[in-house]
Amino acid sequence: MFTQLLFNSLIAGSIYTLIALGFSLIYRTVRFFNFAHGVIYTCGAYAAYAFINQLGFHPAAGFICASVCAGVVGSAVDAMVYKPLRRRKAPYLVLLIASLGAFIFLQNVILLIYSSQIVSLNTGPVKAGHLVLGGAITDMQIVILCTSLLLFAALTLFVRYTRLGKAMRAVSDDTVAAGVVGINPERIIGIVFFAGSVLAGAAGILTSLETGIEPTMGMTAMLKGITAAVVGGAGSIPGAAFGGMLLGCAENFGIWKLPAAWKDCIAFVILVGFLLVKPYGIVGKKD
Amino acid sequence: MPLLEVTNLNVTYGVQRALNDVSLTVNEGEIVVMIGPNGAGKSSTIKAVGGILAHAGGRIENGDIIFRGKNIKGRRTDELVKLGISFVHDTHRVFPSMTVLENLEMGGYTLSGNAAVQRKIDEVIALFPRLGERKKQAAGTLSIGEQQMLAIGRSLMLTPALLLVDEPSIGLSPNFVETIFSRFVEINRGGTALLIVEQNTRKALELCHRGYVFEIGRIAMEGTHHDLLENRHIRSIYLGE
Ligand SMILES: Nc1ncnc2c1ncn2[C@@H]1O[C@H](COP(=O)(O)OP(=O)(O)OP(=O)(O)O)[C@@H](O)[C@H]1O
Ligand SMILES: [Mg+2]
């Protein structure tokens, strides 16, 4: 039982981590909670459905194309909605509400195209799981774990060592000073939205390897991602992974003793608890 | 043709007027200082030239800023950097979470090739050895004086044609001020023109080739190093003699 719960925790946790990573990357650069992140997750899942089921792409190729699509949608939202607002020096709250507007708008576009019917990805016949240390884990779940780990490592190394990654950190440290050294902050912000949205899209696709795709799937995903990000300290990359894993464990081990209906509730108890006790998260600091 | 020519600059912050018809020039290879009491408009002038006035909530109502014959009024800072103008804030503004070395690398963001960046880093560290000792440290943990050195060092990564510095000595201990001012002379010998705002009038006048005296939003006086140091008005009001 314990091993099974641990597997479930890691799988859920790695999805939350991916959502939180993109969310945090964007948050620390533009300093507002980008709620539209949730619908980008949905876009990723539907784009994968389009590439794999409708266009007959190989699942791996479909995964890559769909993630890029999600990235493009994310940076388009930035260019068309947030950038004009930034230019007018719109306050935090206006950007926050605009992002909710973008969420609702895009969710309805998806609803118009694909209707509210649940669809699922065509990834071959369902196979029985492998038994490892008394717990079952399927091939798809191994794919989810490995892909998440790979994306996490890639992002960490990218931000730490590459010129563009350093420029991203510079812009999030001080946008004006970034301009002073010759970085065009708007260009970097566009790239950050692209990268963060690719991660959200990838999370949406990985989720749909296991469950159905529906237009409203982004809302809970976004709330879980935000919880994970806040728990880890919004804006921190290792913090996002920590928060994601903590949330995954709390939910899955929580329902060991509690009725399963409490699962979502656990996330929000954690969120509110952290906001009250440690609003800057585990690794975050006041700025 | 002067390197920089500012003509009839008018700046406002909302309804408040900060600059009235300010005109000044900086020639190739010159050190020019701006002095004057608090609120006289020195920072507003240098921020307008450096393209960061809008970030401070200001607006250029009128006037032109010509750099090497091109009107640069309203250009973004990152565009100015590519033209050869670097800016150092009075509040340093290093990248606090990044290391000293990474800060310097960012100073060379527009350089092509790692070798060029590395060569420049070595040059800057030769100028400010203290930065070499602190290489791996996060910039936010440096002392104010060290952050100022880093901010100046970072701006030198590109060998700008014009370096704009707002209040380099603010909050620094006297020997830090000495170091930084002697570096300005070296930087200037390397061919960079400097436009500096400085509270410490004596130091400023000793350093400069020419200077401008600001009073309530306009230029009250201008002159060469000797003119200003010998001027009776300046000696009594600013140098307390
Ligand atoms: N962000 C701002 N918002 C509103 N007014 C401002 C702002 N910055 C400067 N001012 C006003 O503009 C005028 C000129 O200020 P400025 O900062 O250019 O002066 P300064 O000569 O640099 O003074 P100091 O020696 O104090 O730095 C002052 O009256 C000041 O109050
Ligand atoms: Mg000033």
Side-chain angles (χ1 to χ4, degrees):
Chain A
M1 188 65 181
F2 177 83
T3 326
Q4 190 61 59
L5 286 175
L6 186 66
F7 286 165
N8 294 349
S9 303
L10 290 179
I11 291 153
S14 60
I15 300 278
Y16 298 155
T17 299
L18 283 186
I19 306 172
L21 273 179
F23 179 82
S24 271
L25 191 67
I26 292 171
Y27 172 75
R28 68 184 209 165
T29 311
V30 292
R31 302 279 156 183
F32 71 91
F33 275 20
N34 173 31
F35 286 133
H37 202 61
V39 80
I40 301 298
Y41 167 93
T42 318
C43 285
Y46 275 98
Y49 174 75
F51 281 115
I52 297 170
N53 289 29
Q54 297 178 315
L55 299 170
F57 277 42
H58 181 273
F63 173 82
I64 293 171
C65 295
S67 303
V68 171
C69 271
V72 170
V73 175
S75 41
V77 170
D78 174 56
M80 295 193 299
V81 183
Y82 309 144
K83 191 176 172 183
L85 289 172
R86 273 198 299 278
R87 200 175 300 133
R88 293 189 183 87
K89 301 202 180 300
Y92 172 89
L93 203 60
V94 169
L95 285 154
L96 189 87
I97 289 168
S99 78
L100 260 181
F103 182 107
I104 294 166
F105 174 80
L106 286 174
Q107 181 163 307
N108 281 291
V109 169
I110 294 171
L111 198 61
L112 275 176
I113 302 175
Y114 286 102
S115 84
S116 60
Q117 216 164 12
I118 299 181
V119 294
S120 54
L121 282 186
N122 229 336
T123 48
V126 179
K127 282 185 269 179
H130 311 276
L131 273 178
V132 184
L133 302 168
I137 187 163
T138 65
D139 287 346
M140 285 306 160
Q141 291 174 329
I142 294 174
V143 168
I144 294 176
L145 283 177
C146 293
T147 314
S148 311
L149 191 66
L150 202 72
L151 287 172
F152 172 71
L155 182 75
T156 306
L157 295 176
F158 180 79
V159 169
R160 181 171 294 239
Y161 295 111
T162 66
R163 174 170 175 268
L164 198 55
K166 287 175 191 170
M168 286 178 179
R169 280 192 279 146
V171 172
S172 43
D173 262 15
D174 189 332
T175 316
V176 178
V180 166
V181 298
I183 297 169
N184 177 355
E186 282 301 331
R187 191 175 148 258
I188 299 294
I189 291 173
I191 295 171
V192 163
F193 267 94
F194 178 80
S197 302
V198 165
L199 293 173
I205 306 165
L206 292 177
T207 309
S208 25
L209 291 177
E210 285 231 285
T211 59
I213 303 172
E214 53 182 326
T216 53
M217 67 195 275
M219 186 50 106
T220 9
M222 176 189 75
L223 292 171
K224 300 284 175 68
I226 291 180
T227 306
V230 167
V231 166
S236 155
I237 289 177
F242 175 85
M245 286 303 166
L246 183 81
L247 188 59
C249 290
E251 281 186 354
N252 285 286
F253 282 100
I255 56 168
W256 197 358
K257 299 280 183 236
L258 290 172
W262 286 88
K263 198 169 173 179
D264 285 344
C265 192
I266 293 171
F268 302 116
V269 170
I270 291 182
L271 177 61
V272 172
F274 264 86
L275 286 174
L276 287 175
V277 181
K278 251 182 122 29
Y280 301 102
I282 294 291
V283 295
K285 42 188 179 300
K286 204 170 147 173
D287 56 11
Chain B
M1 184 175 69
L3 182 64
L4 175 77
E5 187 164 20
V6 176
T7 45
N8 299 324
L9 191 64
N10 285 270
V11 164
T12 54
Y13 294 93
V15 290
Q16 195 185 348
R17 183 161 277 281
L19 291 184
N20 284 307
D21 288 330
V22 165
S23 299
L24 59 82
T25 56
V26 178
N27 296 308
E28 207 86 48
E30 224 177 8
I31 301 181
V32 176
V33 298
M34 298 190 262
I35 58 171
N38 290 100
K42 307 175 300 291
S43 294
S44 302
T45 307
I46 206 168
K47 280 178 179 160
V49 176
I52 57 164
L53 192 65
H55 291 292
R59 221 175 86 83
I60 300 179
E61 294 290 337
N62 232 319
D64 288 312
I65 303 171
I66 314 288
F67 179 73
R68 289 183 162 155
K70 243 191 260 168
N71 200 337
I72 56 162
K73 186 173 78 168
R75 294 278 187 97
R76 285 198 321 264
T77 19
D78 57 289
E79 297 173 322
L80 296 180
V81 169
K82 280 159 204 148
L83 294 175
I85 303 178
S86 287
F87 184 89
V88 183
H89 280 90
D90 50 357
T91 46
H92 327 308
R93 302 191 84 147
V94 294
F95 301 117
S97 78
M98 304 175 77
T99 66
V100 167
L101 210 55
E102 286 172 337
N103 267 270
L104 293 178
E105 282 175 33
M106 286 296 105
Y109 182 75
T110 54
L111 292 174
S112 51
N114 287 338
V117 174
Q118 194 51 54
R119 187 153 10 94
K120 273 290 173 187
I121 289 179
D122 293 342
E123 266 179 55
V124 169
I125 286 179
L127 212 52
F128 297 109
R130 183 74 72 100
L131 296 181
E133 296 160 22
R134 299 269 190 272
K135 253 198 278 206
K136 294 263 152 52
Q137 208 171 312
T141 66
L142 298 178
S143 75
I144 297 293
E146 289 164 346
Q147 290 193 21
Q148 184 66 286
M149 284 185 176
L150 180 56
I152 295 171
R154 190 182 62 189
S155 71
L156 293 178
M157 288 292 294
L158 296 176
T159 335
L162 176 63
L163 180 60
L164 308 167
V165 194
D166 196 1
E167 306 235 3
S169 70
I170 201 162
L172 299 194
S173 66
N175 53 338
F176 263 119
V177 176
E178 268 330 308
T179 320
I180 283 176
F181 272 67
S182 67
R183 293 308 174 267
F184 284 149
V185 176
E186 281 182 52
I187 292 162
N188 179 246
R189 282 207 198 103
T192 295
L194 290 103
L195 179 60
I196 302 173
V197 174
E198 182 51 56
Q199 285 285 355
N200 185 333
T201 309
R202 184 180 297 278
K203 285 223 101 46
L205 293 181
E206 280 166 2
L207 174 77
C208 74
H209 298 125
R210 279 189 315 115
Y212 292 88
V213 184
F214 278 68
E215 265 161 30
I216 33 179
R218 56 185 194 86
I219 292 175
M221 200 188 303
E222 63 172 288
T224 62
H225 171 81
H226 286 290
D227 293 345
L228 294 174
L229 273 175
E230 300 302 318
N231 186 284
R232 199 174 300 138
H233 176 70
I234 290 183
R235 288 177 81 109
S236 70
I237 297 195
Y238 294 102
L239 302 177
E241 288 174 3

